[in-house]
Amino acid sequence: MAPEVGDTEPDDSIEDNLTSKASNGRMHARQENHTSEADEEKGEEEEEDEDEDEEPRLKYASLTKHLRPVYRNADATSSFLVGGDKMVIGTHNGNIHVLSLPSLTPLKVYHAHSTSISAVSISPFPPPLPTPKASVPARLVSPQKSSPAPSISGIHKGSTPGKSPKLPPVPLTASNQIYIATSSIDGHVCVASLTDPKDVMLRNFGRPVQAVALSPDYKNDHSYLSGGLAGNLILTVGGRAGTSSTSNAGAGAAATASGWLGAIGLGSNTGKDTILHSGEGAIREIQWSLSGKYIVWINEKGIKLMRSNLHLETNESEHAWKRINHIDYPNRAVWEDMAGVWKPHARWIDESGLETDDLETNIINGPQKKAHSQFSDSTGNVLPRPTTRRQRPERLLVGWGDTIWNLNVLPGGSGSGKDAGKIAHVDRMTILRTDCIVSGVALYTPSLIVVLAYITPDESTSSARNAPTGGPHRRQNALQPEIRLIDVETKEEVSVADTLNVSRYESLSATDYHLGLLPAMQITQKASSQRGALEIIGGGIWDVGMYPARLFSSAASVRSNGSHSAESSSRAPSDLNVASPTPGNDQSVHPSALTHGMKIFIQSPYDCVLATKPTPADHFNWLDSHAFYEEAWKLLNQHPEAVCDGSEISTESTPSTPTRAPAKGQGTLMDFFLDDGSQTTASGSGRRNLFSQVEKEKRRIGELWIQQLTAHKEWRKAGATCGKVLNTGDHWEHWVWVFAQADKFEEITPYIPSTQLQPPLPSIVYELVLGYYVSNDRTKLKELLELWPAELFDAGPVIEAIQGRLQVGDIREDSIEDGKVGRDWRLLMQSLAKLYLAHGRPAQALGCYIRLQDADIAMRLIAEYHLVDAVSDDIPNFILLRVSKEQQRSASMSELEQASREPIRLLVAEAHHGIVRPESVIKQLDARYGIPNPYLFFYFRALWEGETASTAENAKVQATSQGRKQSLIDERLIATEGKALVSDHADTALSLFAEYNRGLLMTFLKTSQSYTLDLASKMCRQREYIPELVYLLSKEGRMTEALRLIIDEIGDASQAISFAKEQDDQSLWNDLLNYSMNKPSFMRGLLEEVGTSIDPVKLVRKIPEGLEIEGLKGGLMRIIREYEIQHSISEGVARVLRGEVAAAMVDKGKGLNKGIKFEIGEVNKDPITMQNPRTGRARQVKKGHCPGCDKSFLPEDPELLVSFPCQHIYHLPCLLSLSGKAAEDIPTSLTNLDWQSEYDRSIGPKIDHAALLRSQLKEGCPMENRDAG
């Protein structure tokens, strides 16, 4: 029952408090009768405390102050409908207000009824959104230029909408071309076009009409359904626009036209009424399905479904207006009385516009596309998914009284069993029973139903608290209405009900509340591409998604502020779509009206409340206010936009003055109906401010999160959280000190930044942590030094801490930790070495690695930093780099040699360079091990043999023969220099070689001259090295003593004979004979091996008579045989010599007898090749020329010519000059011999001259001598 309309407007003080509409928690807890009031209050407090921890799934905002024109003249709303971008409100005074969403700007206000409006319907439903197409005719129906339309207000003179400013005509756009039908308890149904004031019909049904539903195709078929207290479901078709008619249903008489057209005789087309159903009580609800194929209506007996006449196939025409199913109301006693009182609410579901089931996903990501869910029939069998649009089921939600029906209407052929072949059938999915009266119902998500609950006090509670004191009985005051979310499957509320603070709720009934729904529209590629065109629609509609404050706080709205002259009326819709705000209409729209996603409108007679999903900012604020800092920080980290709403960004980053043509990239009115993902971002500066604000919020929430964890002693999680949320040096410094004071280093250390921050984290923080692990956990210390770069901290204090820890003495090389010897000592030394390197002290680091016997790193440091001189202070440990303690105790010489080879070769190389002298090596090894010791022996042997690191490399790589030759030369030079270095310490080398390598000792004794003979002799005597001692005695000249040692100590006749042969001393042979006379074995050896070294007769004579010598005969025979052989060899040699001499004499005679040809007068002849008969060497000779002066010989040459067997011919002076004789040394007889004298025929002078010439030219031909040299 509608409340009475008072004479006052809604209370502004109440409206001002409506910005926070919801309180999370039940207002009253239903208690048992025996519960005391104190216990009841305590239980309520506990329940409220629990409820406060549950996040609301909806947020609420009051729109009442934006609807003040609706409540003018103390009017109150009685019916309500939202769809597309339109809101239609019917009032108790019979007024209809059409408003534009989201601005809530009045588009049209008219008076159609004389009393309360009971229902509103729109065709098509939902109305189309503004389209980008500009093909709509840019014209408006101008009242000045057209014939006057009948005044609907004039039909009912009792009430007018008030003295509101006259609104300009509604622009003729596609989104505005809708029809609005209203029904009233005055018995009338009014159908009016939104854009055309002449297109209006009023029909009188004679009884109160409770429900009306326009055909989805009303524009073409002009049909609608209506019903009311008469109990008839009436189909009305036709009717002339601009007429007021009376229903012709029931009586069958022709309707008489009334109105101004009927008065002039033009009322022949008054429409036709057909009763489709009757006789089951008042009809309170009629709804067409979204597809238009089905109709649901509800009367006092139950829920009815019918097939409409739309979308029928050719063979289905008989199915039109056929009933499909009937569902009775619950079989409970209360329903018998209240079925006709409770107002039912039916809603066909658009599943594509639902929110998601997951709360956080719903808040953050907005509505998502849903896959078609599976459907099952009434028996629970899963039905196959429809393959065509025609077979797709439609979902229906009905709320009536205390019950909710969740139904599926499946087309014919989709069922099984008894449903097979039907027009369509209903699958009753779920029936829910509530503890309230349903004043509105809708599907929020695929599994959640939103219910507008009307609550009355329990009878027991009411009687106890509000017992009547007498007087007439009055209706109980109602409680505040609630919004509840009920799970379809579990049939339980998923969250605490939200109580709505509406005005005068105590006096309102369940029928006074209405629930409207705008689905969450899905963005499509097509819609995205249409943004530019949509922006021109209306011209003054700015980006409500990005710039709402600019839209609703400016002087411009969706209608023009210009005059209403004919000129302005003829403008295009885009020019006339801007209007000044209606007086009294506050244009500041609540930001909730601009959010995306599903919008739920709750309408009471005096209030309008908007419920939307919480924005990310709301979600964040709730988490923050309830100390859920972990979830709040994660939300900001993943979705920075949760810091503030888009409106806040736009207000800061955009100007307040609107522009008629939105810039590219701005949103449009379409954005209001799209999901959150389609929102455009703010400008670059806005983004920078946003993310700067985000970082500040993340730091603030992160600090609170850490404080919360530390307060609960969750130190390990707090440390991990520090690693996530802290990103500045000062914050890190603070929290590290907090953890340090609580002695929770291990909880914070893994998360301390290993990279430099801005501003940087003070180095003392790292030094503090490292100092802690120096004393407590050396393993972790090593890990941190490997993880943290050296530039993060000062290595000096940490080095001092480690040195101090080592000086305490409890950590040693032989200490045991966890069953491992020297573990902590090694860890500290390794850490110390790293710190030395970081501190620029590689020499100290090398010392640490040497003590650690880490040969690889030590050798690398030596090569990289040239630190060979640094090892001169610790040579023993350097040599032992690869020698373990176990090897030092038990390894063989070969193992020790192999392990120490690399450092020893390096020391030998540096000894050659003069960097590490042998004296230093000898001194340090002697101080540790004494002399001799194997390492010093390896060193001296390497020096002696020239084994260095460079020679080892050369041995590996010898690319060419030239390289190999050069390498051999270098090795010889190194070996020679090494022998010289060893000779400088010959006595030390003597003892080392004598101890470890006797063979090398003999080599050294024979090669070196630097050792002390007495010391060497003494050492050999002590060690009984007889061969070495024999050599030393022979070197001293003590041959007899040496021979005596061979005979007495060695007893080797062969060696004694060899020794005597080497010395080649007759006295030594005599001593050998004398020493051997009493030794038969030596006598036999002498007989067998002496050979011709001594006279065998003398040897035989020396043999004492009677001395028995084994093998004497054989020895004698061997001597005789050797002498025979010697004699035969001598004779053969003599014969050979004689033959060679004879042959040479013959050749010489032939040469002497051979004539010599002198080439005379041969000038400029080519050289000829001549062979020297003596040397066999060939040489080119210029015939007829003197080699000395290069002049040709003349037939009457005045100079004496001298020829050699080599065929060189000289002038005598030239020959003498070439022989190198000075002129004063040449006898004059050689140059003054006169061959023309009387003696020219004599042989004597020639022989004398030749003898004299031979004496001067002893070396022969000068040219041949020069070639030979």
Side-chain angles (χ1 to χ4, degrees), residues 113-116 183-189 203-209 247:
H113 301 278
S114 60
T115 184
S116 301
S183 63
S184 173
I185 60 176
D186 63 2
H188 289 83
V189 171
R203 197 169 188 85
N204 184 8
F205 288 90
R207 295 286 300 277
V209 181
S247 174

Side-chain angles (χ1 to χ4, degrees), residues 870-899:
V871 305
S872 58
D873 296 333
D874 195 7
I875 291 175
N877 285 329
F878 177 65
I879 293 176
L880 297 176
L881 273 175
R882 300 188 187 276
V883 184
S884 64
K885 290 181 171 57
E886 183 64 27
Q887 286 179 315
Q888 295 178 37
R889 290 191 294 267
S890 59
S892 62
M893 285 292 293
S894 61
E895 293 176 347
L896 292 176
E897 178 186 2
Q898 182 67 28

Side-chain angles (χ1 to χ4, degrees), residues 360-379:
E360 184 172 353
T361 303
N362 190 18
I363 292 174
I364 300 302
N365 298 328
Q368 305 294 319
K369 253 185 186 177
K370 298 98 180 166
H372 294 293
S373 58
Q374 288 183 335
F375 296 95
S376 59
D377 58 17
S378 57
T379 60

Side-chain angles (χ1 to χ4, degrees), residues 24-161:
N24 296 321
R26 297 295 183 91
M27 186 172 181
H28 298 285
R30 295 172 172 83
Q31 304 293 332
E32 298 294 338
N33 294 334
H34 62 274
T35 305
S36 65
E37 185 175 354
D39 294 339
E40 182 176 322
E41 293 178 357
K42 181 178 180 181
E44 290 180 357
E45 292 177 358
E46 292 177 354
E47 185 175 353
E48 289 180 0
D49 292 339
E50 293 177 358
D51 294 344
E52 289 179 357
D53 294 334
E54 185 174 354
E55 182 177 5
R57 287 179 174 259
L58 295 171
K59 72 170 185 177
Y60 302 87
S62 172
L63 302 181
T64 305
K65 62 181 178 180
H66 303 285
L67 302 177
R68 287 180 178 174
V70 176
Y71 305 112
R72 185 175 287 109
N73 298 327
D75 202 356
T77 61
S78 60
S79 59
F80 175 80
L81 181 65
V82 290
D85 63 339
K86 304 294 187 297
M87 175 188 289
V88 182
I89 302 175
T91 69
H92 285 289
N93 288 344
N95 300 323
I96 295 96
H97 298 260
V98 184
L99 298 92
S100 175
L101 293 177
S103 63
L104 299 178
T105 303
L107 292 177
K108 188 173 184 179
V109 180
Y110 59 95
H111 183 71
H113 301 278
S114 60
T115 184
S116 301
I117 296 174
S118 58
V120 177
S121 178
I122 297 176
S123 178
F125 186 84
L129 294 175
T131 62
K133 297 181 180 179
S135 60
V136 180
R139 63 182 180 85
L140 294 174
V141 178
S142 175
Q144 289 82 356
K145 293 187 178 182
S146 60
S147 58
S151 174
I152 302 177
S153 301
I155 300 175
H156 301 285
K157 302 293 184 180
S159 178
T160 63

Side-chain angles (χ1 to χ4, degrees), residues 319 394 405 514:
H319 295 167
E394 297 195 53
W405 287 263
H514 306 277

Side-chain angles (χ1 to χ4, degrees), residues 758-873:
Q758 292 298 333
L761 181 60
S763 63
I764 190 174
V765 173
Y766 295 96
E767 296 159 16
L768 172 69
V769 176
L770 292 174
Y772 170 82
Y773 286 107
V774 167
S775 301
N776 296 277
D777 190 346
R778 269 67 64 175
T779 302
K780 186 65 176 179
L781 172 67
K782 180 184 176 183
E783 294 176 359
L784 292 177
L785 291 177
E786 292 175 351
L787 177 64
W788 291 347
E791 59 268 16
L792 294 178
F793 56 90
D794 183 6
V798 187
I799 290 174
E800 294 178 1
I802 295 177
Q803 290 174 340
R805 193 72 183 87
L806 290 172
Q807 291 173 0
V808 173
D810 59 335
I811 299 178
R812 304 181 303 276
E813 293 185 60
D814 56 352
S815 59
I816 300 176
E817 294 85 18
D818 295 337
K820 297 180 181 179
V821 179
R823 187 201 66 179
D824 282 2
W825 179 85
R826 292 185 62 83
L827 291 173
L828 286 179
M829 291 300 295
Q830 290 171 352
S831 302
L832 189 60
K834 279 185 172 293
L835 292 169
Y836 276 136
L837 286 175
H839 208 235
R841 298 157 66 180
Q844 288 82 348
L846 176 62
C848 293
Y849 285 119
I850 289 175
R851 293 188 63 185
L852 289 167
Q853 295 184 306
D854 195 336
D856 295 333
I857 298 181
M859 300 305 292
R860 179 174 59 81
L861 289 177
I862 291 172
E864 183 175 351
Y865 295 98
H866 308 288
L867 296 177
V868 178
D869 57 337
V871 305
S872 58
D873 296 333

